[in-house]
C-alpha cells in the first residue's frame, strides 16, 4: 500500500477515467503553494468536480490530517453547512456550542484540506464558514468548486475551460476532446475506433460540442444507437433552434423537442445547453417524464423511492427500473453502489436543473414535492418501527444513504406545512439523531418544527421526547428534563400510554445524570412495571439501563446484572444490536464492580465492536473508557494508556467533555493517574499518543503497538 493511502481522509470513488487536465493539475498544485483557498470555477458540465477530486488525491501527501470531501449538492439551507462539514470529517456533533465553533476547534491544530464541492447556491454561507475556519486554523486549506466565486480576499481562482478541440484531422491525435469522445464512445459501442471513414465526423462532433466533457459524454452515450455521422448532421439543427429562439424555446414547439423550457437561462455553455436539449429530444416520452420527476430528489436515491415518488398512470411503476437503466446508459443518471449493498442513482446538478425546469413547465413541481415528502414521512415511520429489531443495521445504512433527501423533506415540511408532518418526520427520526451520531442536527430541526407547530398533539409529544433524548446525548440533562412536563401533559390529554412512558423514561435518564438516584429508580421502575410484556419498547430499554445504573451505584451488582441479562436476552431474541451493545457496556461496568476484570473486558469489547459498526462515536468512546478501566484493574498500564488515548481521540471529535455518571468520569482520571505513575510521564505520553493516533478501523486498534 502506498504511503498516501495511509493518510486519513475521504474522497469519492472515481467511476470513470479523467482525460487530460495535466496543465490544470499543475496549476492547482502551484496555487496551493501560495494560497489557502483556491476556487475552481467554470460553466456547468466542464468537469470541475472530477478535476477537484483528482487534484485532491494528488495533494493528499501534503496534509498530515487528510483530505476531506464535502458534497454540497443536495444542501439547500446555508445554516446546515457547518453540519455538513462536520459530517464529512471524523467529527461527531455532540456539543451544544455552535457547530461552526466545534469545527473550528477540531481543525485548529490540524493540517488538512477540505474540498467544498458545488458551492454556487450557497456562496454566502460558504464564504462566511471558510473565512472563519481559515482564521481559526493556520494548517487548513480549502479547494472549492463553484460556478460563482466566494468573493474572499484570500481566494485564488482557476477558471476551468473546455477541453481543447482539434482544428482538423491533422491534429486530432493531440486533442483531449477527441480522446474523451472516443473512450466514452467505446463504452457505448464496444469496438468503436477512429478510422479514415469516420475521422472527419469525429473531429466535427468534438468541435460542435466545443470540448465540454458533459456534452461529449451525453453525445457519446448515443453512439450505440446513432452513427457518428448522423449525430454530426443532427446537432447543427439543434443549434439552429437555439439561435433562432434567442436562447429560449419557440413557444409553439411541443415539449418533446424544445431545447430548454422557457424562463431564465442558467449560465451554461451553449454547446451543453444544446446537447442536453438534443439528448432530451432523443428520449422517449416516458424517459423524459422520469427525468423531470427524478429532479425532486436531493442527492442520490434508490429504485424504491423512484417508483413510489414518480409512478402514476402516465409512468407505470413496473416500467421505472427499466427506464432508470436507460437513463444510466444515456449518461443522464449515474449508477452508484449503496452502502447497504443496494443500487442507488444520481443525476449531475446540471441535468437535475434541466429536469426541474421541465417539471415546472409541466405544472407538476408542487405535486411531486408533496409526493417526495409523503414518501420520506412513510420511510421515517418504517425506520422508527424497525429500528429495535433484526433490520437495525439495514435501517441505519438506508437512513444514512437518504440523509440528504430527509433534510430536503424536513425543509419542505417547514416551508409548506401539512398538518403535523414536520413534527412527525423529525420525531420519527429520533434514532438517527440520538443513536447514529447526529444530535446537533436533530436539535436544529426539532427546535424548528416545535416552534412552527405549537398545537398540542401526539406528534408534538413525540418530537419533544426526541428533543429530550438529543439533549441527553449532548450532555444537557437539565434541559432534557424541562421537556418532561409538556410530554406528560400531552399523554394525559390524549390518554396515550406510550407518550406517558416516554415522559417517565426521559425524566429517569435526566434524574440519574443529575445524581438524583432515588427519583431515577422510582421513575424507571414505574416504566418497567408497565412493560413486563413488551420489554423491547424503547422507553422500557432506557428504564432498564437507568435501573441497572442505580443498582451499580448502590453496590447491588447482582441485581444490576440480572436487569441487563434480561435486556440482552430480549435483544438477542429480536436480533437487536444497538441496545444490546449498551447492555454489554453496563455489564462491563457491573463486572468491574464485582472485580471480574476479564468478563468486564469481554463485555466492553463487544459493546465497542457493535457501536463501531453503527458509527456511534459516543457509544464507542464510553466503551473504550470502560476497557481502559478494565486494563487498569488488570494492572496493564501500557494498555490502559493506549485505550485512554484511543478514547480521547473520540472525545475530541465529539466536541464535548466526557458525559455520563460522575463516578465513572472520576474513575477515568484515576486510571490515567495510575498508568502515568506506573509508566512514567514520558512513556505514558508516548503510549497515549500512539493510541490517540490509531485509527478506529485499524485491524486491532485495542492493542498497543
Amino acid at each position: 500500500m502506498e504511503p498516501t493511502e495511509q493518510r486519513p481522509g475521504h474522497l469519492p470513488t472515481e467511476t470513470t477515467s479523467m482525460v487530460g487536465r495535466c496543465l490544470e493539475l499543475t496549476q492547482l498544485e502551484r496555487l496551493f503553494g501560495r494560497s489557502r483557498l483556491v476556487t475552481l470555477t467554470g460553466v456547468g458540465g466542464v468537469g470541475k468536480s472530477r478535476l477537484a477530486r483528482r487534484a485532491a488525491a494528488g495533494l493528499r501527501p501534503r496534509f498530515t490530517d487528510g483530505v476531506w470531501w464535502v458534497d454540497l449538492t443536495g444542501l439547500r439551507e446555508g445554516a446546515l453547512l457547518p453540519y455538513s462539514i462536520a459530517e464529512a470529517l471524523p467529527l461527531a456533533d455532540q456539543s451544544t456550542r455552535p457547530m461552526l465553533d466545534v469545527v473550528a476547534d477540531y481543525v485548529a491544530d490540524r493540517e488538512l484540506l477540505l474540498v467544498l464541492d458545488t458551492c454556487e447556491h450557497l456562496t454566502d454561507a460558504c464564504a462566511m464558514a471558510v473565512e472563519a475556519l481559515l482564521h481559526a486554523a493556520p494548517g487548513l486549506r480549502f479547494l472549492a468548486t463553484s460556478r460563482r466565486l466566494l468573493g474572499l480576499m484570500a481566494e485564488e481562482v482557476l477558471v476551468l475551460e473546455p477541453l481543447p478541440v482539434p482544428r482538423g484531422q491533422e491534429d486530432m491525435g493531440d486533442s483531449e476532446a477527441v480522446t474523451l469522445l472516443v473512450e466514452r464512445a467505446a463504452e457505448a459501442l464496444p469496438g468503436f475506433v477512429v478510422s479514415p471513414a469516420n475521422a472527419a465526423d469525429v473531429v466535427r462532433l468534438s468541435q460542435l460540442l466545443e470540448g465540454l466533457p458533459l456534452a461529449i459524454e451525453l453525445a457519446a452515450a448515443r453512439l450505440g444507437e446513432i452513427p457518428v455521422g448522423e449525430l454530426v448532421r443532427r446537432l447543427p439543427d439543434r443549434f439552429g433552434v437555439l439561435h433562432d429562439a434567442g436562447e429560449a424555446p419557440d413557444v409553439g414547439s411541443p415539449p418533446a423537442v424544445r431545447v430548454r423550457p422557457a424562463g431564465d437561462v442558467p449560465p451554461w455553455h451553449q454547446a451543453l445547453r444544446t446537447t442536453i436539449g438534443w439528448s432530451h429530444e432523443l428520449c422517449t416520452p416516458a424517459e423524459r417524464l422520469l427525468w423531470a420527476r427524478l429532479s425532486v430528489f436531493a442527492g442520490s436515491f434508490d429504485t424504491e423511492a423512484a417508483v413510489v415518488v414518480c409512478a402514476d398512470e402516465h409512468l407505470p411503476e413496473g416500467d421505472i427500473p427499466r427506464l432508470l437503466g436507460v437513463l444510466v446508459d444515456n449518461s443522464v443518471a449515474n449508477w452508484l453502489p449503496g452502502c447497504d449493498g443496494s443500487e442507488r442513482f444520481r443525476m449531475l446538478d446540471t441535468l437535475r436543473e434541466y429536469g426541474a425546469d421541465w417539471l415546472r413547465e409541466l405544472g407538476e413541481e408542487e405535486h411531486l414535492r408533496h409526493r417526495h415528502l409523503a414518501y420520506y414521512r412513510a420511510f421515517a415511520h418504517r425506520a422508527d418501527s424497525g429500528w429495535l429489531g433484526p433490520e437495525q443495521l439495514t435501517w441505519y445504512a438506508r437512513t444514512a444513504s437518504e440523509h440528504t433527501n430527509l433534510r430536503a423533506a424536513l425543509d419542505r415540511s417547514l416551508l409548506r406545512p401539512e398538518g403535523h408532518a414536520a413534527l412527525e418526520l423529525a420525531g420519527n427520526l429520533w434514532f438517527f439523531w440520538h443513536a447514529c451520531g447526529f444530535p446537533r442536527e436533530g436539535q436544529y430541526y426539532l427546535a424548528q418544527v416545535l416552534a412552527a407547530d405549537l398545537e398540542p398533539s401526539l406528534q408534538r409529544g413525540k418530537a419533544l421526547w426526541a428533543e429530550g433524548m438529543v439533549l441527553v446525548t449532548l450532555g444537557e440533562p437539565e434541559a432534557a428534563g424541562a421537556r418532561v412536563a409538556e410530554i406528560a401533559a400531552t399523554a394525559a390529554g390524549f390518554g396515550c400510554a406510550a407518550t406517558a412512558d416516554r415522559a417517565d423514561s426521559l425524566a429517569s435518564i435526566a434524574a440519574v445524570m443529575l445524581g438524583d438516584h432515588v427519583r431515577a429508580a422510582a421513575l424507571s421502575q414505574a416504566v418497567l412495571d408497565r412493560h413486563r410484556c413488551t420489554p423491547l419498547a424503547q422507553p422500557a430499554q432506557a428504564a432498564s439501563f437507568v435501573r441497572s445504573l442505580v443498582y451499580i451505584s448502590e453496590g447491588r451488582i447482582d441485581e444490576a446484572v440480572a436487569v441487563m441479562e434480561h435486556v440482552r436476552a430480549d435483544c438477542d431474541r429480536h436480533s437487536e444490536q444497538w441496545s444490546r451493545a449498551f447492555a454489554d457496556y453496563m455489564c462491563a461496568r457491573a463486572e468491574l464492580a464485582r472485580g471480574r476484570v476479564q468478563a468486564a473486558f469481554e463485555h466492553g469489547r463487544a459493546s465497542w465492536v457493535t457501536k463501531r459498526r453503527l458509527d456511534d462515536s459516543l457509544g464507542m468512546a464510553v466503551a473504550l473508557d470502560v476497557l481502559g478501566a478494565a486494563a487498569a484493574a488488570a494492572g496493564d498500564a501500557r494498555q490502559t494508556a493506549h485505550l485512554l488515548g484511543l478514547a480521547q481521540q473520540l472525545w475530541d471529535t465529539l466536541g464535548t467533555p466526557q458525559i455520563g455518571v460522575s463516578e465513572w468520569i472520576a474513575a477515568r482520571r484515576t486510571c490515567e493517574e495510575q498508568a502515568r505513575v506506573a509508566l512514567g510521564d514520558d512513556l505514558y505520553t508516548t503510549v497515549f499518543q500512539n493510541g490517540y493516533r490509531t485509527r478506529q478501523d485499524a485491524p486491532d486498534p485495542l492493542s498497543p503497538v
Side-chain angles (χ1 to χ4, degrees):
M1 185 175 287
E2 293 296 324
T4 56
E5 294 178 357
Q6 301 283 358
R7 299 279 186 179
H10 171 72
L11 293 172
T13 303
E14 288 191 15
T15 56
T16 57
S17 61
M18 187 178 77
V19 172
R21 302 303 195 189
C22 294
L23 176 60
E24 290 86 348
L25 287 169
T26 301
Q27 290 174 315
L28 283 171
E29 187 173 355
R30 186 181 305 119
L31 287 172
F32 272 106
R34 67 179 190 234
S35 177
R36 298 175 61 202
L37 166 63
V38 177
T39 297
L40 186 58
T41 190
V43 298
V46 79
K48 298 183 292 295
S49 297
R50 182 169 295 177
L51 178 61
R53 191 259 173 246
R54 181 64 62 87
L59 291 166
R60 180 173 271 172
R62 295 190 184 186
F63 297 96
T64 304
D65 298 297
V67 174
W68 304 89
W69 187 273
V70 186
D71 183 3
L72 303 181
T73 304
L75 192 67
R76 291 294 173 261
E77 292 293 328
L80 288 175
L81 176 62
Y83 298 87
S84 293
I85 296 174
E87 183 183 345
L89 292 166
L91 169 62
D93 58 349
Q94 274 94 333
S95 169
T96 56
R97 295 179 299 146
M99 183 49 63
L100 189 60
D101 292 350
V102 175
V103 174
D105 283 352
Y106 177 79
V107 300
D109 299 320
R110 288 176 163 85
E111 294 182 356
L112 52 82
L113 171 66
L114 284 175
V115 185
L116 302 183
D117 185 45
T118 314
C119 300
E120 55 264 13
H121 59 301
L122 297 168
T123 50
D124 290 343
C126 287
M128 184 191 74
V130 167
E131 190 167 41
L133 294 175
L134 287 177
H135 178 74
L140 176 64
R141 301 290 187 273
F142 279 97
L143 172 59
T145 72
S146 179
R147 297 182 211 167
R148 298 171 56 199
L149 303 184
L150 302 189
L152 295 175
M153 290 291 292
E155 186 175 28
E156 291 272 8
V157 178
L158 177 62
V159 179
L160 188 59
E161 301 291 349
L163 296 171
V165 299
R167 292 184 297 274
Q169 294 184 47
E170 66 280 359
D171 60 352
M172 66 182 297
D174 298 325
S175 169
E176 294 172 351
V178 169
T179 301
L180 178 61
L181 176 60
V182 172
E183 282 193 11
R184 298 299 186 262
E187 294 172 6
L189 182 63
F192 180 89
V193 294
V194 178
S195 67
N198 66 16
D201 289 330
V202 169
V203 169
R204 180 58 182 150
L205 183 57
S206 66
Q207 292 171 339
L208 287 170
L209 299 174
E210 299 183 20
L212 266 171
L214 180 55
I216 291 171
E217 297 202 7
L218 287 170
R222 294 289 181 175
L223 288 176
E225 56 193 89
I226 303 173
V228 63
E230 188 174 342
L231 281 185
V232 169
R233 287 189 292 276
R234 286 191 185 188
L235 271 178
D237 292 338
R238 306 311 310 143
F239 280 101
V241 171
L242 180 66
H243 288 304
D244 292 343
E247 294 194 338
D250 180 353
V251 294
S253 301
V257 298
R258 292 184 186 174
V259 173
R260 188 179 177 279
D264 295 336
V265 178
W268 298 345
H269 199 284
Q270 174 179 305
L272 181 60
R273 292 201 306 272
T274 302
T275 308
I276 293 176
W278 166 78
S279 184
H280 188 261
E281 176 187 343
L282 292 178
C283 289
T284 65
E287 292 162 10
R288 288 194 291 269
L289 184 58
L290 183 58
W291 181 344
R293 290 180 176 180
L294 290 175
S295 68
V296 300
F297 289 101
S300 66
F301 52 90
D302 63 15
T303 303
E304 176 192 289
V307 168
V308 175
V309 174
C310 300
D312 63 7
E313 65 274 16
H314 303 295
L315 204 58
E317 63 179 58
D319 292 348
I320 288 180
R322 177 185 60 81
L323 294 171
L324 276 171
V326 174
L327 293 180
V328 170
D329 290 342
N330 292 329
S331 295
V332 174
N334 294 328
W335 177 90
L336 303 169
C339 58
D340 59 348
S342 64
E343 290 188 321
R344 297 189 67 80
F345 304 89
R346 181 181 190 137
M347 286 196 292
L348 293 178
D349 274 358
T350 307
L351 300 176
R352 181 186 292 111
E353 290 170 8
Y354 189 90
D357 284 337
W358 274 101
L359 196 64
R360 283 188 287 273
E361 185 83 358
L362 293 168
E364 289 194 350
E365 182 180 20
E366 285 300 308
H367 177 60
L368 263 292
R369 294 203 179 280
H370 169 78
R371 293 186 67 168
H372 180 275
L373 172 57
Y375 173 77
Y376 284 102
R377 283 177 67 184
F379 176 95
H381 177 75
R382 287 186 292 140
D384 176 22
S385 300
W387 175 249
L388 297 178
E391 301 298 318
Q392 189 172 76
L393 288 177
T394 298
W395 279 116
Y396 163 71
R398 290 192 66 187
T399 307
S401 295
E402 297 290 2
H403 192 171
T404 306
N405 279 304
L406 290 165
R407 279 177 175 163
L410 282 162
D411 293 338
R412 168 74 183 183
S413 69
L414 287 163
L415 183 65
R416 298 279 192 276
E418 299 179 16
H420 301 302
L423 287 170
E424 176 192 308
L425 178 55
N428 280 338
L429 289 172
W430 70 269
F431 69 93
F432 193 58
W433 314 132
H434 170 61
C436 301
F438 298 96
R440 274 305 305 269
E441 186 174 329
Q443 185 185 35
Y444 170 84
Y445 275 117
L446 286 161
Q448 288 197 73
V449 301
L450 288 165
D453 187 352
L454 299 173
E455 179 185 351
S457 65
L458 291 176
Q459 292 89 341
R460 179 174 174 82
K462 186 167 184 178
L464 282 164
W465 167 77
E467 186 181 40
M469 294 301 290
V470 162
L471 289 166
V472 165
T473 310
L474 295 172
E476 296 289 332
E478 290 183 354
R483 272 69 179 166
V484 170
E486 187 178 349
I487 301 171
T490 301
F494 287 88
C496 180
T499 304
D501 288 337
R502 293 188 186 106
D504 285 348
S505 67
L506 179 60
S508 72
I509 297 170
V512 79
M513 290 180 70
L514 291 168
D516 189 346
H517 289 183
V518 173
R519 185 164 185 264
L523 288 164
S524 59
Q525 190 60 54
V527 175
L528 291 175
D529 289 343
R530 295 195 296 267
H531 273 269
R532 295 194 182 279
C533 297
T534 56
L536 195 62
Q538 202 285 332
Q541 289 184 343
S544 297
F545 298 140
V546 171
R547 196 72 187 93
S548 180
L549 194 153
V550 173
Y551 279 142
I552 293 172
S553 69
E554 294 173 345
R556 300 162 65 180
I557 307 305
D558 289 343
E559 290 162 285
V561 171
V563 172
M564 286 299 97
E565 288 297 345
H566 183 71
V567 172
R568 277 157 43 92
D570 199 64
C571 289
D572 289 345
R573 279 195 298 273
H574 295 83
S575 301
E576 195 279 341
Q577 299 188 52
W578 179 72
S579 292
R580 173 65 152 80
F582 198 80
D584 280 326
Y585 167 76
M586 294 297 298
C587 284
R589 286 291 179 190
E591 296 295 2
L592 266 183
R594 276 176 165 172
R596 296 177 55 181
V597 175
Q598 185 58 36
F601 198 90
E602 290 172 1
H603 283 303
R605 183 184 180 89
S607 178
W608 174 81
V609 167
T610 300
K611 293 299 186 181
R612 182 175 66 167
R613 192 179 301 128
L614 288 165
D615 285 337
D616 183 351
S617 296
L618 181 58
M620 291 165 64
V622 297
L624 287 169
D625 275 354
V626 78
L627 286 170
D636 191 337
R638 190 179 185 89
Q639 186 168 35
T640 301
H642 175 82
L643 289 167
L644 292 178
L646 193 62
Q648 192 62 47
Q649 173 198 130
L650 288 168
W651 287 117
D652 285 352
T653 64
L654 289 168
T656 185
Q658 288 90 351
I659 62 174
V661 182
S662 58
E663 294 93 330
W664 295 348
I665 296 172
R668 186 184 198 278
R669 298 194 186 100
T670 300
C671 291
E672 178 182 347
E673 292 167 2
Q674 291 173 346
R676 190 179 291 275
V677 169
L679 297 174
D681 284 344
D682 290 345
L683 182 55
Y684 175 86
T685 300
T686 298
V687 178
F688 180 93
Q689 288 299 325
N690 284 339
Y692 188 91
R693 289 191 294 268
T694 299
R695 293 171 62 92
Q696 300 285 334
D697 58 355
D700 186 17
L702 302 184
S703 300
V705 177

